[in-house]
């Protein structure tokens, strides 16, 4: 039973295995058939696609052939265009070359035109320069001619004045000024200036002192009030009113010998230094104090040291006087003899007889140096603004020293120089020969112009506050005033003119080739004012 069952089981297993195997084969065959059908379907689809592709390819080939034809046509057209472009380029190159040639020709023509223009401009400039030079030469000749005319008229004025023909002299004097001023000549030329001085009658003289007049000082800020001192112990107060000079003594003692004078610029006190060894301190009212100078032998110079101090100079001594304290505060002795004192750079400058000069700031601060010129110096002046100075000598010589230190010798006085003073670059000098001279230091060859000529020594001079007048003192005690302002002289002469030149006078004195001018009428007066401005 058991074997039967085993056999039956094995048979069942075999059938089962056979069934499974057959079923697997069927499935495998069936899958292969499906795959083949799928491949067949794909091949059919690919064949249809190939047919379509062949159709498309044929169409593309047709299109390509058409495009080839078009391309061939375009190539032929491009070749034709290239040929045309080459021809146009060649033609353009030829035209460019022609244009360059034309441009070069134009540049050459332009260059020639510019050269011609430059030549023409040069010739025009040369002609213009020659014209200007001719005009300048003519103006220069006219200027020199009229300046010479002005000087000649000045000389003629002096001759007519001395001959007593003062009316004609006044006309000639004004004409001399008129032409000299119009053509910018030197109004300080001697012939012109002296003619104005004569015609303006600008000098006055008053007897004042019994002895030599040794000093004059103006009262602070007043041109009409002044004080003078002399060798006979006189201190006089003067007040000018018009042409009159009213004088009164405020101190008088013949035992005093005044050599120097100072007026305080603030309080108006008067300080007069006497060679007797005294200093008189007084005022306009005559209130007087006498200061005894025991330690100073023969005092002769008085200079402002500061606003509160005076420097007193004796033969061998310098001393400081304190104004507020009213006494000497210092004394310094010197071996050399101190000859005179002046001012330089707002400080006293004291000279001695050994060729030295001493600039004094204080008694403990004295700068000593050599005098830059040889000889006996008797006067000194300097201009701080212009850096120039002048030394007057005992023989009448003057040395002018410029700012570079170059010394020029001025010869014009005959004896000792008593005073020098600058007014700008004009130098004024007085001398014991009795003359007051003016030197124009800017001239190449300065010559003296005599402003005053006394018959006696001129011991000193000074300007008024306005510097329109110069005042002088002389050995005989006279006090003189002289106008030195050219505009004021001209106004005085103008006011004196009573008539114009007659035609015959014009032709005789001035010349028929010079256009006639009138000097006495409103229009000419206005013109003269404009010329002076």
């Amino acid at each position: 039973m058991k074997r039967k069952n085993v056999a039956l089981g094995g048979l069942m297993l075999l059938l089962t295995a056979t069934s499974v195997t057959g079923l697997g084969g069927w499935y495998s065959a069936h899958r292969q058939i499906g795959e083949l059908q799928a491949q067949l379907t794909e091949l059919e689809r690919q064949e249809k696609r190939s047919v379509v592709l062949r159709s498309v390819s044929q169409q593309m080939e047709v299109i390509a052939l058409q495009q080839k034809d078009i391309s061939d046509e375009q190539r032929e057209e491009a070749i034709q265009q290239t040929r045309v472009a080459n021809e146009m380029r060649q033609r353009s190159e030829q035209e460019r070359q022609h244009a360059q040639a034309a441009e070069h020709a134009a540049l050459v023509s332009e260059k020639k035109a510019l050269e011609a223009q430059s030549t023409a401009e040069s010739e025009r400039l040369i002609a213009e320069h020659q014209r200007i030079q001719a005009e300048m030469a003519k103006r220069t000749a006219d200027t020199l001619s009229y300046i010479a005319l002005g000087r000649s008229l000045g000389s003629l004025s002096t001759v007519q004045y001395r001959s007593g023909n003062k009316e004609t002299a006044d006309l000639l004097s004004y004409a001399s000024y008129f032409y000299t001023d119009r053509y910018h000549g030197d109004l300080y030329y001697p012939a012109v200036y002296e003619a104005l001085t004569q015609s303006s009658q600008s000098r006055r003289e008053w007897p004042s002192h019994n002895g030599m007049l040794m000093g004059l000082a103006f009262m602070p800020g007043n041109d009409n009030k002044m004080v003078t001192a002399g060798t006979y112990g006189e201190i006089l107060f003067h007040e000018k009113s018009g042409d009159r000079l009213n004088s009164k003594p405020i101190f008088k003692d013949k035992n005093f010998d005044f050599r120097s004078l100072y007026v305080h610029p603030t309080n108006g006190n008067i300080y007069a230094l006497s060679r007797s060894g005294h200093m008189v301190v007084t005022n306009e009212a005559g209130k007087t104090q006498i200061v005894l100078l025991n330690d100073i032998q023969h005092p002769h110079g008085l200079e402002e040291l500061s606003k509160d101090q005076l420097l007193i100079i004796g033969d061998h001594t310098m001393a400081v006087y304190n104004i507020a304290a009213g006494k000497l505060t210092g004394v310094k002795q010197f071996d050399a003899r101190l000859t005179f004192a002046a001012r330089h750079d707002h400080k006293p400058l004291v000279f001695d007889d050994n060729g030295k000069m001493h600039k004094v700031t204080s008694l403990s601060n004295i700068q000593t140096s050599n005098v830059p010129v040889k000889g006996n110096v008797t006067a000194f002046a300097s201009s701080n603004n212009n850096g120039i100075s002048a030394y007057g000598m005992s023989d009448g010589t003057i040395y002018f020293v410029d700012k570079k230190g170059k010394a020029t010798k001025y010869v014009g006085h005959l004896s000792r120089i008593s005073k020098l003073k600058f007014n700008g670059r004009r130098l004024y000098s007085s001398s014991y020969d009795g003359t007051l001279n003016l030197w124009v230091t800017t001239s190449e060859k300065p010559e003296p112009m005599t402003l005053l000529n006394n018959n006696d020594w001129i011991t000193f001079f000074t300007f008024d506050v306005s510097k329109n007048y110069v005042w002088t003192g002389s050995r005989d005690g006279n006090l003189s005033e002289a106008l030195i302002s050219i505009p004021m002289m001209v106004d005085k002469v103008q006011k004196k003119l009573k008539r114009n030149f007659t035609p015959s006078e014009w032709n005789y004195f001035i010349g028929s080739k010079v256009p006639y001018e009138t000097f006495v009428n409103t229009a000419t007066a206005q013109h003269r004012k404009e010329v002076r401005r």
Side-chain angles (χ1 to χ4, degrees):
M1 189 63 174
K2 287 181 182 180
R3 285 179 184 178
K4 186 179 180 179
N5 288 338
V6 170
L8 184 55
L11 182 58
M12 288 298 287
L13 288 169
L14 180 60
L15 288 172
T16 302
T18 301
S19 297
V20 171
T21 301
L23 185 58
W26 181 82
Y27 278 118
S28 175
H30 183 71
R31 188 172 59 251
Q32 289 179 354
I33 290 171
E35 289 176 353
L36 289 173
Q37 287 178 345
Q39 291 177 356
L40 179 60
T41 301
E42 180 64 27
L43 287 172
E44 289 177 351
R45 188 168 56 254
Q46 288 179 355
E47 184 178 0
K48 290 178 181 179
R49 187 182 300 163
S50 296
V51 172
V52 173
L53 290 173
R54 282 198 302 274
S55 175
V56 170
S57 178
Q58 290 174 355
Q59 292 177 359
M60 292 294 292
E61 184 178 357
V62 172
I63 293 170
L65 290 173
Q66 292 175 348
Q67 288 179 343
K68 180 177 178 299
D69 291 339
I70 294 171
S71 177
D72 290 341
E73 292 176 358
Q74 291 177 343
R75 184 173 60 79
E76 288 296 332
E77 185 177 355
I79 292 171
Q80 184 65 24
Q81 290 178 349
T82 301
R83 188 181 302 111
V84 172
N86 288 334
E87 292 176 355
M88 293 180 67
R89 184 180 58 78
Q90 292 175 356
R91 189 178 302 132
S92 175
E93 180 65 19
Q94 291 176 353
E95 291 177 353
R96 187 184 65 80
Q97 291 176 355
H98 290 159
Q100 286 181 340
E103 181 182 6
H104 179 70
L107 290 174
V108 172
S109 298
E110 182 182 6
K111 183 178 179 181
K112 290 181 179 179
L114 290 174
E115 290 176 352
Q117 181 183 3
S118 177
T119 302
E121 180 66 15
S122 297
E123 292 176 351
R124 187 190 69 79
L125 290 175
I126 291 171
E128 179 68 13
H129 181 66
Q130 291 175 343
R131 182 187 66 79
I132 292 173
Q133 282 188 323
E135 290 181 354
M136 288 180 62
K138 183 178 182 303
R139 284 198 297 268
T140 301
D142 289 344
T143 297
L144 293 175
S145 175
Y146 279 107
I147 289 175
L149 174 63
R151 294 175 178 180
S152 174
L153 293 173
S155 298
L156 289 171
S157 173
T158 300
V159 172
Q160 292 294 319
Y161 191 88
R162 290 173 181 173
S163 300
N165 302 322
K166 295 185 178 181
E167 188 176 85
T168 304
D170 292 342
L171 277 169
L172 289 169
S173 172
Y174 189 84
S176 171
Y177 156 78
F178 182 78
Y179 287 111
T180 303
D181 187 61
R182 173 184 279 182
Y183 290 93
H184 307 291
D186 183 8
L187 293 172
Y188 286 92
Y189 187 81
V192 179
Y193 191 89
E194 288 172 7
L196 287 172
T197 301
Q198 285 179 154
S199 293
S200 62
Q201 296 179 340
S202 53
R203 183 188 173 192
R204 300 179 184 86
E205 186 174 78
W206 301 273
S208 298
H209 288 261
N210 293 317
M212 282 196 296
L213 213 164
M214 296 301 295
L216 180 148
F218 286 91
M219 301 306 290
N222 196 322
D223 279 344
N224 294 318
K225 291 184 177 182
M226 67 205 79
V227 62
T228 56
T231 56
Y232 273 26
E234 298 169 311
I235 301 175
L236 303 183
F237 181 81
H238 310 273
E239 186 168 4
K240 185 171 175 286
S241 177
D243 295 339
R244 295 175 59 85
L245 187 70
N246 301 314
S247 305
K248 67 175 182 179
I250 54 177
F251 181 87
K252 192 172 183 179
D253 187 339
K254 66 174 69 175
N255 294 315
F256 289 82
D257 179 3
F258 294 120
R259 297 302 179 95
S260 189
L261 184 68
Y262 172 81
V263 173
H264 195 279
T266 303
N267 57 33
N269 283 342
I270 302 160
Y271 299 81
L273 187 66
S274 173
R275 192 166 174 80
S276 62
H278 302 84
M279 185 168 66
V280 174
V281 183
T282 184
N283 57 22
E284 181 180 344
K287 183 179 179 181
T288 301
Q289 174 192 359
I290 298 176
V291 180
L292 182 62
L293 307 173
N294 290 322
D295 298 325
I296 306 174
Q297 183 182 13
H298 299 148
H300 54 78
L302 188 62
E303 293 290 336
E304 180 184 285
L305 188 60
S306 68
K307 65 179 182 178
D308 297 321
Q309 294 178 318
L310 297 176
L311 182 69
I312 300 173
I313 300 98
D315 283 351
H316 295 276
T317 311
M318 289 187 199
V320 174
Y321 176 80
N322 187 286
I323 294 174
K327 63 180 181 180
L328 297 179
T329 56
V331 178
K332 184 177 180 66
Q333 299 294 327
F334 287 80
D335 293 332
R337 186 171 68 87
L338 305 179
T339 55
F340 77 98
R343 298 193 70 76
H344 177 61
D345 196 21
H346 309 294
K347 296 293 182 182
L349 185 67
V350 182
F351 290 76
D352 65 28
D353 60 357
N354 283 341
K356 303 290 185 181
M357 54 186 182
H358 314 273
K359 185 178 179 180
V360 183
T361 302
S362 67
L363 292 183
S364 60
N365 184 5
I366 299 176
Q367 299 174 13
T368 300
S369 59
N370 292 321
V371 177
V373 296
K374 299 297 183 182
N376 182 19
V377 181
T378 58
F380 172 82
S382 65
S383 172
N384 297 325
N385 293 335
N386 297 307
I388 54 180
S389 57
Y391 298 82
M393 317 302 288
S394 60
D395 63 357
T397 302
I398 298 172
Y399 288 97
F400 169 75
V401 181
D402 64 18
K403 60 183 178 182
K404 294 181 180 179
K406 179 183 177 182
T408 303
K409 187 176 181 179
Y410 290 179
V411 178
H413 288 289
L414 302 177
S415 59
R416 175 190 177 104
I417 304 298
S418 57
K419 181 78 173 180
L420 293 173
K421 203 169 185 67
F422 279 103
N423 184 3
R425 295 193 67 89
R426 297 190 294 273
L427 175 65
Y428 295 81
S429 62
S430 63
S431 168
Y432 283 3
D433 65 7
T435 60
L436 174 69
N437 286 345
L438 167 64
W439 309 80
V440 181
T441 62
T442 54
S443 300
E444 292 184 5
K445 295 181 179 180
E447 296 182 359
M449 186 188 326
T450 301
L451 303 181
L452 294 175
N453 195 341
N454 288 339
N455 295 320
D456 201 359
W457 294 0
I458 296 180
T459 53
F460 81 96
F461 72 90
T462 190
F463 302 120
D464 64 357
V465 177
S466 65
K467 294 188 177 181
N468 290 325
Y469 290 87
V470 61
W471 290 77
T472 61
S474 64
R475 183 175 60 173
D476 59 9
N478 290 338
L479 184 63
S480 300
E481 174 201 56
L483 179 64
I484 59 173
S485 167
I486 288 180
M488 293 180 68
M489 288 183 189
V490 171
D491 286 341
K492 283 178 174 290
V493 175
Q494 179 187 348
K495 290 175 181 178
K496 290 177 64 179
L497 297 181
K498 299 177 181 178
R499 63 179 181 85
N500 291 305
F501 283 107
T502 65
S504 60
E505 286 176 329
W506 185 273
N507 292 338
Y508 180 79
F509 290 115
I510 298 177
S512 58
K513 293 183 179 180
V514 178
Y516 184 84
E517 303 246 15
T518 59
F519 299 139
V520 185
N521 61 50
T522 305
T524 306
Q526 179 63 29
H527 172 70
R528 289 195 293 266
K529 290 179 181 178
E530 292 175 356
V531 169
R532 286 199 293 274
R533 284 199 296 267

